[in-house]
Every structure is written in structure tokens, then in C-alpha cells.
Amino acid sequence: MTEKTIQKALYEKFISHRYKFANVFYFENESDFLTFLPSGFCYEFEIKISRSDFKADFKKVKHVIHKNNGKKYYTVKGREIYNQCPDWDFCKHFPELIICEDYTDRYAYSMIRRELVRLRCTAFSSVEFREFKNEKLPNKFFYVVPEGLIAINEVPEYAGLIYVNDKGETKKVKDGKFIHKQILSPAKLWNKTYHAYENQLHSKLFTK
């Protein structure tokens, strides 16, 4: 099953939604599928076709924002690496500066001919404090996956879950919670679309 297959299924499922977009940048990350209801509410659909892709998605900052829980600010780690192997005291006292991730030890594979998954911790030298803004969030957020790929208990509390089967039929396994109820405007996307078109038009008219 491909992303395009799932996008087609979502298009048919949400045909009544006023505007539908695929692979667009409306928020900070690319949205696989995005719709606006006649009411003005915005739904974002994150498509995953593998479990590894699903797990990797939680490295994105947007998930920190989605589970806001009434907080005014959230933190984003700086890009400058401070220490590849921080000690336990550093991790304990500065957890907001640490990122832990699994990785496959290729050296071990070359020695014992089997993969070993290890844990790597990286410390960063700075943290930015950013303010939560509803206009950077959809009203509801859903994961959309091939049927049975992930279980309902693997989905965050704020997210919904939709299955798509081999026939292209959709099943809402879990409804997404309202992250907020502020009305968002699709004009932002229309403006981006027109800007891209205008650049092409200018190039066509004025480039020899």
C-alpha cells in the first residue's frame, strides 16, 4: 500500500469537507493530507505505511506541541551538539537538553554477524522556549495506516487512528480529540499556491 493509495481513500472518505490538500506545508511540518470542514475546522492526517516510519514520527517537534495540556511554552533543542556521551548526572539534571534514540551497531554486526540495537544519548548546548499558538496546530490530528499496522494503544491520547484496507476502504478506529477550537483559514494555503503559480507565470512571460 502506498501513500497515494491512502490519500485517495481519505479523499473519498472526507469528500464532504470543503477543502482538501495533499503534501502541503500549512504548519511547521509537511502535512500528508489536510482538510478544512465547512465549519472552518482543520483536520490533519499523518500517513504511515511502516512501523519504523510511525515510531520515527515522534521525533518531530509537533508532538510536543500537540500534547500541550494548557502550558504556555514548549522547548526546542538547539542544533549545536554539546556532548555525544553525557553522563548520568547531566541527564538527570538537564533532561530537556537530552535526546535518546535507538541505533543499529554496524561494528558489532561486522564482528558477530547479527544486528545489535543500542541506545544513544546526545546532549545539546541550548534550548529555545517558544510560545504555543493555536494557528500552528490542526483542530484534530489523525494517524492513517494500513489496517492493523499499529494498535489503538500505540496512538497518543490527542490523536485519532484510521485504518485503510486493501480495497481502499477506511475505518475510524479512534476519533481524534479537539486540540483547540480556533477557526483556521485556508487562505494561507491559497496564497502559497498562487505565489508558486505567479513565479511560474513570471518565468514563462519574461524568460527567453
Side-chain angles (χ1 to χ4, degrees), residues 37-53:
L37 286 71
S39 63
F41 287 141
C42 175
Y43 289 3
E44 181 181 9
F45 303 88
E46 183 74 29
I47 297 171
K48 298 298 176 188
I49 56 177
S50 71
R51 287 189 57 80
S52 59
D53 193 21

Side-chain angles (χ1 to χ4, degrees), residues 70-194:
K71 297 177 183 177
K72 188 175 182 181
Y73 296 97
Y74 65 97
T75 58
V76 177
K77 295 173 179 61
R79 293 184 178 180
E80 184 180 350
I81 296 177
Y82 170 73
N83 186 353
Q84 286 285 358
C85 300
D87 59 30
W88 169 243
D89 284 337
F90 188 94
C91 295
K92 181 171 63 177
H93 293 293
F94 303 100
E96 68 278 4
L97 289 173
I98 304 298
I99 285 183
C100 295
E101 56 187 354
D102 296 337
Y103 74 98
T104 301
D105 190 332
R106 299 297 179 187
Y107 177 75
Y109 178 80
S110 66
M111 300 294 291
I112 62 176
R113 293 300 174 184
R114 65 184 180 88
E115 290 189 353
L116 288 179
V117 178
R118 300 185 186 275
L119 181 67
R120 173 170 51 215
C121 294
T122 305
F124 287 75
S125 62
S126 64
V127 168
E128 296 178 28
F129 289 85
R130 297 183 183 177
E131 187 175 0
F132 286 104
K133 295 182 179 179
N134 286 339
E135 59 265 27
K136 292 186 176 182
L137 300 168
N139 298 106
K140 286 189 177 185
F141 176 83
F142 294 84
Y143 278 106
V144 191
V145 302
E147 188 172 17
L149 182 71
I150 59 176
I152 191 170
N153 60 1
E154 295 180 276
V155 174
E157 182 185 1
Y158 53 81
L161 177 62
I162 296 174
Y163 283 165
V164 179
N165 65 22
D166 293 336
K167 297 178 181 179
E169 300 168 334
T170 60
K171 177 182 178 182
K172 186 187 290 184
V173 182
K174 177 179 180 286
D175 196 7
K177 289 188 174 181
F178 272 104
I179 299 171
H180 65 88
K181 292 191 176 182
Q182 179 177 323
I183 300 300
L184 302 178
S185 173
K188 179 179 176 181
L189 274 173
W190 294 127
N191 289 338
K192 284 186 177 181
T193 302
Y194 177 74

